[in-house]
Structures are given as structure tokens and as C-alpha cells.
Amino acid sequence: MLSAMGQEIEGEARISVAPSGIVTRVEITRSSGYIEIDANMEAALRDYLFSRVDGRIETVGTVHFRYRLEKQD
């Protein structure tokens, strides 16, 4: 349905990453307005694996996401 309208969807999430590079927490801080899209983004972010770092402190960052859906006729 969204593709038929050529919709653009944006959102934002805060992630925490352990020194091992594993994502330990995902929080959607600005919803796209669509529960399924937010859930898919959260699941995708949980699957990310970052480079290892020295230390014992988790790193926290913000991820902005934007889906541009091409209009389908």
C-alpha cells in the first residue's frame, strides 16, 4: 500500500553496543508511524555486529532511518 503512494518513511532509534560489538539494546525513539516497520527496524538493528573495542563500557548511539518507497503503478 505504501509503495503505491510513493511514501517516504523516517524514524530514529537509540542503540547500545557492548565492547564485544554486540547490540545489547534497541529503543525506537521516533516512530515511523507504522508498528511493523518499527519492529523490522528494531530486529535489523539487533542483528548488527560492530567491531570490538577495548574497555568495559557500552557505547550508545543514535541511528536515523529513512525508507524511500518507489511509487508503483
Side-chain angles (χ1 to χ4, degrees):
M1 181 173 89
L2 294 174
S3 292
M5 297 184 298
Q7 184 102 9
E8 182 174 285
I9 300 167
E10 296 183 41
E12 186 176 279
R14 179 177 299 138
I15 62 171
S16 298
V17 181
S20 64
I22 295 172
V23 175
T24 59
R25 183 173 180 215
V26 177
E27 175 189 0
I28 301 295
T29 54
R30 189 178 70 193
S31 174
S32 66
Y34 297 92
I35 294 170
E36 289 180 354
I37 290 175
D38 291 349
N40 286 337
M41 177 51 67
E42 184 175 340
L45 289 170
R46 288 188 186 282
D47 287 343
Y48 275 33
L49 182 60
F50 292 87
S51 298
R52 289 180 159 281
V53 296
D54 292 332
R56 296 184 176 172
I57 299 173
E58 286 191 340
T59 301
V60 178
T62 301
V63 177
H64 301 276
F65 57 94
R66 177 182 299 163
Y67 292 100
R68 288 185 180 156
L69 305 172
E70 292 183 17
K71 188 172 182 176
Q72 295 180 350
D73 298 322

